Amino acid sequence: MVERFGAPPSPAPLPPRAEPTDLSRDAPLGKTMTAPVKTDKLIEGATGAFEVIVGMEVHAQVTSQAKLFSGASAAFGAAPNAHVSLVDAAMPGMLPVINEECVRQAIRTGLGLKAAINLRSVFDRKNYFYPDLPQGYQISQYKSPIVGEGEVLVDMPDGETVKVGIERLHLEQDAGKSVHDQHPSMSFVDLNRSGVALMEIVSKPDIRSAEEAKAFVAKLRTIMRYLGTCDGNMEEGSLRADVNVSVRRPGEPLGTRCEIKNVNSLRFIGQAIEVEARRQIGLIEDGETIEQETRLFDPGKGETRSMRNKEEAHDYRYFPDPDLLPLEFDQAYVDALAADLPELPDARKARFMGNYGLSAYDAGVLTGEKESADFFEDVVRAADGRTRDPKIAANWVLNELFGRLNKEGRGIAASPVSAGQLGAVLDLIADGTISGKIAKDLFEIVWTEGGDPKAIVEARGMKQVTDTGAIAAAVDEVIAKNPDKAAQAKEKPAMVGWFVGQVMKASGGKANPQAVNALLKSKLGIE
Amino acid sequence: MTDPISLTLAEARDLLRSRAMSSKELTEAHLSAMAAARGLNAYVLETPDKALAMAAASDQKLAKGEGGPLEGLPLGIKDMFATEGVRTTACSAILENFVPVYESTVSSHLWRDGAVMLGKLNNDEFAMGSSNETSRFGPVVSPWRRKGDTAKLVPGGSSGGSAAAVAAGLCLGATGTDTGGSIRQPAAFTGTVGIKPTYGRCSRWGIVAFASSLDQAGPFARTVRDSAILLRAMAGHDPKDTTSVDLPVPDYEAAVGRSVKGMKIGIPKEYRVDGMSDEIEALWHQGAEWLKAAGAEIVEVSLPHTKYALPAYYIVAPAEASSNLARYDGVRYGVRVPGHDVTEMYEKTRAAGFGREVRRRIMIGTYVLSAGYYDAYYRRAQQVRTLIKRDFEACFEAGVSAILTPATPSAAFGIGEKVSGDPVEMYLNDIFTVTVNMAGLPGIAVPGGLDAKGLPLGLQLVGRPFDEETLFSLGETIEQAAGRFAPERWWA
């Protein structure tokens, strides 16, 4: 295979990938209205409040070794055109053969979305010309997708749970990549992505704000990462979204929607919805009408702009791909996949709340990433079978560990402190070897230097002093030095806290605070 | 000793096996016949070096008593089949410089079985045509001429090069592809045997696609037995083509000579079309009589949706073609004509690379798939297709073993005679054959006799799905009765 295909000289760069409003396709979005108006989500315009209605089309790259219809590798990051088979390059006479692993992953994702699995689905050709679309058509599923209606529960930070309906999920091929900045008059084409399997997940227009949209995509990502069906890596393009936005005054019929194509980060999804809603509200308040069209979000300028005009609108001439038989499997196949699904985020969150007594918020944060939830459970369940206090474990994972990770911009997988090490720190607190304060110092040492926490405590003399004789001496000394305060404390028992602080300070933090407290109370005559 | 190029494939096979002749002798005889017949324009690329190397390898195997079922037998390959390292153009300007790095499954089966490749055979551009006049390499001249006339005739199409080469002794057999009659119509025009097997019997992998749901490969040969031998090699399941069928390939040759006694043969009344010549009508009747004499029972059957087949075909085939040919865009391989921007490059490349008939079909296909027209054309055509299939199923369910029809409504016509006129005139050539593709059934064309001007006429037998064996048995019965036909070698 040649390394690079040159497209012809062109003084102007190629037009952006043309995927405009589809004239021939029934538009499922923005046509139905299910949820009631949520007044707290309304946006104030100059002439009153508006409701934002959002539906999403999320493109998720299927986690698989090979592409959807060819044996070429689907891996990211290879040299241009290193992963291109004869089928991907659309050589004459080449035929697609469905990759069963991609079908399996689509079904598993559908099950994770609590969706109907269609035992018979059909691949269609979506015809259009573009240099990085070698066949001149994309193989997709149009009228008969592999997955039908489902739903996703999205937890909002304020505690509200939003139910977002799933319209469908279908399998389709990704296109290649056109590179316009390598040559003054030519464009280059990289076909590594050409033919890679994507799942297009279409939501119902159930989303009412930018925050909900972001949370929805984040939740989809979490579900797919739990399932191992999409790595959710937005930087590498494994997850991208088309966002359909319309606005209306509460109670009015749905407005005209605009589709913002190919938004590739959660932040941009939120920004794109905000600015597009503002734009539409502005137009309506100026008495203008909104054109149904495809728009592009420019994060630099903080605006959306029209991608193309009507004259260039495409007719994709969908028809069933005659090279592929309808995709059929039986219910037993689906049942076997369902039986084999891992525990999903919602179930895991419920279990963390029920079994471990965690708050909804803590359980939600811990289960937001499969790796975090696994880490937490590894801390709770010690290697020797003991169970540690789940609330203390959750506090440490959420506050100390996550805080430190966030500070350094690291993910849980790159944590220098293992679940075993953190567990050992918690054990040392639990058996009274160290105080909570010392434990934080110990955590810091383990983070930067590594090592066995127990051995570190021994070696560095960090053990808590529980010898009542030593503590009593310190207590006596502090009382002797502060007779006034000692006298006051008898009247005002809360003063004991000040004495505890002084004794702890004197012991270098190593004294057992409970022991200090008890001794002080008896010596000061409080109780 | 017999002239090597007049042997049947079966005779040559037996001579090679008995070492009475070498593959080298056989191959050289064909290469010289090809050189002497260049005026027919049957081959668009001769591969003599490859042929001789393959023949030498075959002779070594044969000397050791080894070798496959086709060991040492020289064949021609239609230019629709991708051949590794050998230019493959589909006889289109847009692929004039295309050399595949892969071999089609069907041709690789032939080489697996020991066959020798003589070269690539002419065809209508992208197999779109019924006269081989749309090829970018120019028309093929039929080896047949009317009695007392030197006017050049067409060999039929789209596999015109294959038909002419087999009829003229320029190969022992050849591959063809048949989307609407592209094997059976040229076989009928040249007095050769051609079979389009059941859809799914041969792999389409590596065959330049015209209309994916209709395309099927099949052989050309001078006898029914030879075509049976070739189909056995060509057929078989291919995991690279999901529309190919995973069924064992029978020993088709064993079906040749099998009795047809007691078989029920259907004569479809709807095939008596307006303007059909008396000679064709008489031949059809004669064919039925031959089969009756061999013990078959002749019954009239009805295929009521026949009249819709041709119009529906000319919606389905161009629709699929318009999409299949989108890949010829000048970006990755083939011809590119530069433009100021990518759109202009596409337009110029495709305008220069595709001939008139191909452009016409791309435009028809694009139109019938367009928003607002899809339901009226493409969807309806698919519905018609289902009805046509049901017509045949009803016949077979009633106990009919095969259906006998004429292969074409007329004998071969002159080169240039139909080019300038209404394209529908040309399309009508396929009226008896397209139904078979629409229903995905096997169909064989067998020579039935010569018309008053000395030109071959063919009969078509249509069988049940994957029952090619019955077609070979019946075909040979007709062959025995009608005899075989070869043109005079006026060109050499």
Side-chain angles (χ1 to χ4, degrees), chain B residues 245-480:
Chain B
V245 174
D246 194 2
L247 283 176
V249 180
D251 179 2
Y252 291 127
E253 193 180 359
V256 177
R258 215 176 265 167
S259 169
V260 301
K261 208 167 167 188
M263 283 188 190
K264 219 191 246 187
I265 306 302
I267 307 290
K269 56 183 179 193
E270 292 82 3
Y271 278 55
R272 280 190 190 86
V273 296
D274 289 343
M276 192 164 79
S277 77
D278 292 346
E279 281 181 309
I280 298 278
E281 178 86 46
L283 173 76
W284 192 9
H285 183 72
Q286 178 65 68
E289 289 301 313
W290 284 329
L291 294 177
K292 202 167 161 186
E297 184 194 343
I298 306 300
V299 293
E300 191 180 75
V301 296
S302 176
L303 299 169
H305 297 94
T306 299
K307 61 173 177 284
Y308 305 113
L310 196 70
Y313 171 85
Y314 275 97
I315 290 169
V316 174
E320 294 183 11
S322 71
S323 178
N324 282 335
L325 270 56
R327 65 187 57 199
Y328 308 110
D329 58 4
V331 174
R332 297 167 311 286
Y333 52 78
V335 165
R336 176 193 297 175
V337 181
H340 287 301
D341 58 22
V342 70
T343 305
E344 195 185 276
M345 185 279 284
Y346 286 149
E347 288 168 359
K348 287 186 165 178
T349 296
R350 289 166 66 83
F354 291 137
R356 244 182 90 173
E357 183 61 26
V358 172
R359 275 181 276 151
R360 179 183 356 254
R361 296 200 197 189
I362 289 174
M363 283 191 273
I364 293 171
T366 304
Y367 179 81
V368 299
L369 287 177
S370 302
Y373 297 98
Y374 178 90
D375 288 343
Y377 292 106
Y378 190 77
R379 188 194 301 275
R380 278 185 82 84
Q382 291 293 10
Q383 287 166 343
V384 167
R385 201 170 170 178
T386 305
L387 295 173
I388 290 168
K389 232 180 252 182
R390 283 197 198 140
D391 285 354
F392 281 103
E393 280 163 10
C395 285
F396 294 134
E397 277 161 21
V400 168
S401 300
I403 289 159
L404 180 73
T405 79
T408 57
S410 71
F413 44 90
I415 289 178
E417 215 173 272
K418 295 195 178 183
V419 173
S420 49
D422 182 348
V424 174
E425 276 279 297
M426 190 69 91
Y427 298 167
L428 284 169
N429 261 285
D430 302 328
I431 194 150
F432 299 134
T433 48
V434 289
T435 46
V436 182
N437 300 76
M438 293 292 268
L441 300 171
I444 191 170
V446 184
L450 302 178
D451 71 2
K453 291 171 184 157
L455 296 182
L457 296 173
L459 287 166
Q460 173 179 242
L461 287 154
V462 182
R464 296 161 179 253
F466 299 101
D467 187 15
E468 285 81 5
E469 287 171 283
T470 293
L471 298 187
F472 288 123
S473 303
L474 289 165
E476 202 250 3
T477 304
I478 290 174
E479 186 178 56
Q480 288 295 324

Side-chain angles (χ1 to χ4, degrees), chain A residues 6 8-11 14 89-94 97 125 127 129-131 134-135 137 143 315 317-318 320 323 325, chain B residues 98 102 204-207 212 239-240 242 323-324 326-328 332-333 336 339-340 342 345-346 366 370-371 374 378-379:
Chain A
S10 58
L14 288 166
M91 288 288 168
M94 290 302 101
V97 177
R125 292 186 184 177
N127 295 282
F129 283 92
Y130 204 71
Q135 297 166 127
Y137 54 85
K143 285 184 182 152
D315 177 354
R317 292 171 284 123
Y318 280 98
D323 285 333
L325 301 171
Chain B
F98 184 67
Y102 50 94
R204 294 183 295 113
W205 193 88
I207 300 173
S212 311
K240 291 185 287 188
T242 50
S323 178
N324 282 335
R327 65 187 57 199
Y328 308 110
R332 297 167 311 286
Y333 52 78
R336 176 193 297 175
H340 287 301
V342 70
M345 185 279 284
Y346 286 149
T366 304
S370 302
Y374 178 90
Y378 190 77
R379 188 194 301 275

Side-chain angles (χ1 to χ4, degrees), chain A residues 1-3 5 67 70-73 79-91 134 189-194, chain B residues 332:
Chain A
M1 195 98 286
V2 289
E3 185 159 295
F5 302 115
K67 296 182 178 181
S70 86
S73 167
N81 296 309
H83 295 166
V84 184
S85 76
L86 296 169
V87 174
D88 308 322
M91 288 288 168
V189 174
D190 176 3
L191 296 181
N192 283 350
R193 288 195 74 90
S194 165
Chain B
R332 297 167 311 286

Side-chain angles (χ1 to χ4, degrees), chain A residues 26 39 54 142 174 180 199 322 328 333 338 446 476 513 518 520:
Chain A
D26 301 325
T39 46
V54 178
Y142 174 37
D174 203 352
H180 304 303
M199 295 178 282
E328 291 176 312
Y333 182 71
V446 176
D476 290 343
L520 272 170

